Amino acid sequence: MIKFFRKIRFHLLEKGKSSKYFKYAIGEIFLVVIGILIAVGINSIYNASQNEKKIKAILTQVQQDLKTDIIDAKRIYNVYIGKDSIFQKIMNDSITFEMYKKNPYPLPITGNYVSFSNKKSGYNRLLNNLENLPEKYNCLIPYLSNLHIEIQNEIDDYNTFIKNTVMIDGRKDLMVNPKVADYSMGRYLDKAMAYYFNDPFLKNKSSIYMNDLGNISNAANEYRIESIILYKKIDSLLGKTAIDYDEPLMLSPNKDTINDFLGDYKGASEATLGVKASVSMENKELVLKSSGSPDVKLYWHEGDYFFIKEGNGIFRLYKNKQDQATFDYSGTGGNFRFIKNNKETSN
């Protein structure tokens, strides 16, 4: 091809047709430029395709990290639920030594701490590729910043608080009871339980600890909510829009499982007499309304249990022995119960 164009140039020069030669030369340059532009365009399309493929792989890793964190956040809340049951008995003076011995947690409920540690591999990879991030994915940055900066700061603080609470109490016990080291080795278990059970500061220590545990649990649940929202946002951007999400990516229960609990409630415990509340499904979200308090969304945890984003505490919707729809709230402030009114309320 190059020899062909060269022969044409020589022929025009030999014939003295300079003007035609220059026109031809300009045309040849134009063709070369067009060829270069086409090549650059093809290369640009290829690079964009490879970059898109790389970013999608990173976002898939981000989703995997989010799913791991969501499951771990559930673990934290399950620990909180489990310890709250014995904590309420301690605070209400209804616990017996046998109950205390049989609790599923070793030594006192304040004897160990849980921490929430989120995964950052995918997030860090994305940060290192921000200059190559296609514009359509820029909307993910605020979600990621909220998770790994705003909520992360709370998580770090609450992890430190509960760790310090456990370590301080544990060291104090080591200094005042010469047998504590033996207890930690699994020796003299009855004496160990009796020591902690009869501690005059059992309520105080339990209250401080459960407040710390509630705070880290709430921070983990907030992280869980935002992670699920981000996970689904990424799915949408990746074109996975027609997905039915199951555990652990569900924040609302199926309506057929919650329908019996929708309606108006009245206080059924001493602290809630005269207080009214209602549970309704609005825009596929469960909403709790009570007199004198702002409306809050109830997020489904698992089974009968729910949580809110605005604070710690345990929410439960279940049928009591009389087959009545019952709503319980439990936290460091006590345990409160509501029973659904006999008169059905349309929702």
Side-chain angles (χ1 to χ4, degrees):
M1 183 64 71
I2 294 175
K3 290 182 178 180
F4 174 75
F5 286 121
R6 188 179 297 163
K7 286 182 179 179
I8 294 176
R9 289 199 300 270
F10 285 153
H11 176 74
L12 292 173
L13 287 172
E14 287 176 356
K15 297 295 183 177
K17 300 179 180 180
S18 300
S19 61
K20 289 185 178 181
Y21 170 78
F22 285 120
K23 290 179 181 179
Y24 166 79
I26 292 172
E28 187 176 332
I29 293 171
F30 177 76
L31 289 175
V32 171
V33 171
I34 291 297
I36 292 172
L37 291 176
I38 291 173
V40 169
I42 292 173
N43 187 61
S44 177
I45 292 172
Y46 174 78
N47 288 337
S49 174
Q50 291 300 106
N51 183 62
E52 177 79 12
K53 184 177 179 180
K54 179 180 180 180
I55 295 298
K56 285 183 175 180
I58 293 174
L59 290 177
T60 299
Q61 184 179 358
V62 169
Q63 286 185 307
Q64 292 170 349
D65 290 346
L66 291 174
K67 200 165 186 178
T68 300
D69 292 339
I70 291 164
I71 294 171
D72 198 42
K74 293 189 68 173
R75 173 187 67 86
I76 301 290
Y77 195 55
N78 278 330
V79 171
Y80 183 46
I81 291 171
K83 292 200 173 190
D84 179 75
S85 63
I86 191 169
F87 169 69
Q88 295 299 334
K89 292 181 176 67
I90 290 173
M91 299 307 292
N92 294 326
D93 298 314
S94 60
I95 190 169
T96 66
F97 183 56
E98 288 302 314
M99 289 178 186
Y100 195 74
K101 282 174 59 178
K102 291 179 181 179
N103 86 84
Y105 301 98
L107 299 179
I109 62 171
T110 61
N112 67 317
Y113 72 92
V114 294
S115 61
F116 180 63
S117 178
N118 54 341
K119 304 293 180 292
K120 300 182 178 67
S121 298
Y123 171 66
N124 289 334
R125 282 187 65 195
L126 191 64
L127 287 183
N128 292 331
N129 286 273
L130 285 181
E131 70 278 5
N132 299 319
L133 190 68
E135 185 176 352
K136 70 176 182 178
Y137 297 120
N138 286 339
C139 60
L140 299 176
I141 302 302
Y143 292 91
L144 289 162
S145 298
N146 182 45
L147 281 177
H148 293 285
I149 298 176
E150 299 298 330
I151 302 178
Q152 183 65 56
N153 288 336
E154 292 184 4
I155 290 170
D156 292 341
D157 288 342
Y158 292 141
N159 277 339
T160 301
F161 290 160
I162 192 168
K163 182 177 181 180
N164 287 344
T165 295
V166 171
M167 296 301 292
I168 289 171
D169 283 349
R171 290 187 180 190
K172 285 181 178 178
D173 287 331
L174 283 168
M175 298 302 294
V176 299
N177 188 332
K179 290 292 185 181
V180 168
D182 284 332
Y183 300 160
S184 64
M185 297 295 293
R187 303 167 185 160
Y188 317 120
L189 292 183
D190 279 359
K191 290 182 179 180
M193 288 289 103
Y195 169 74
Y196 291 113
F197 181 74
N198 295 315
D199 185 351
F201 293 97
L202 178 61
K203 284 186 179 181
N204 298 30
K205 290 179 179 179
S206 298
S207 293
I208 294 171
Y209 174 82
M210 289 301 292
N211 181 70
D212 290 345
L213 180 58
N215 284 335
I216 187 60
S217 176
N218 177 244
N221 277 336
E222 183 181 2
Y223 191 97
R224 175 179 167 187
I225 293 170
E226 298 303 322
S227 293
I228 291 174
I229 293 172
L230 176 57
Y231 189 102
K232 294 178 180 180
K233 183 73 174 177
I234 293 174
D235 264 354
S236 177
L237 290 172
L238 295 180
K240 303 175 183 179
T241 54
I243 295 178
D244 292 327
Y245 294 98
D246 297 320
E247 277 276 25
L249 299 172
M250 290 178 62
L251 286 174
S252 297
N254 294 322
K255 188 169 183 180
D256 56 350
T257 64
I258 200 67
N259 194 56
D260 288 346
F261 298 96
L262 302 179
D264 294 330
Y265 288 74
K266 59 183 178 181
S269 57
E270 184 177 348
T272 60
L273 292 178
V275 179
K276 296 180 180 180
S278 68
V279 177
S280 59
M281 186 71 79
E282 300 177 9
N283 298 320
K284 297 183 179 180
E285 294 180 323
L286 207 60
V287 179
L288 171 64
K289 302 179 181 181
S290 59
S291 52
S293 300
D295 298 352
V296 293
K297 294 178 183 178
L298 287 176
Y299 296 98
W300 183 58
H301 170 62
E302 62 183 27
D304 300 333
Y305 291 96
F306 296 79
F307 62 93
I308 64 171
K309 187 178 180 180
E310 293 78 8
N312 54 31
I314 299 165
F315 298 82
R316 187 182 176 211
L317 288 167
Y318 64 100
K319 292 289 186 71
N320 63 16
K321 293 180 180 179
Q322 290 74 40
D323 200 37
Q324 296 171 301
T326 306
F327 167 68
D328 280 0
Y329 165 76
S330 184
T332 53
N335 188 278
F336 308 96
R337 178 161 296 167
F338 296 82
I339 301 293
K340 186 179 176 183
N341 294 343
N342 291 329
K343 182 180 179 180
E344 293 294 330
T345 303
S346 60
N347 286 278

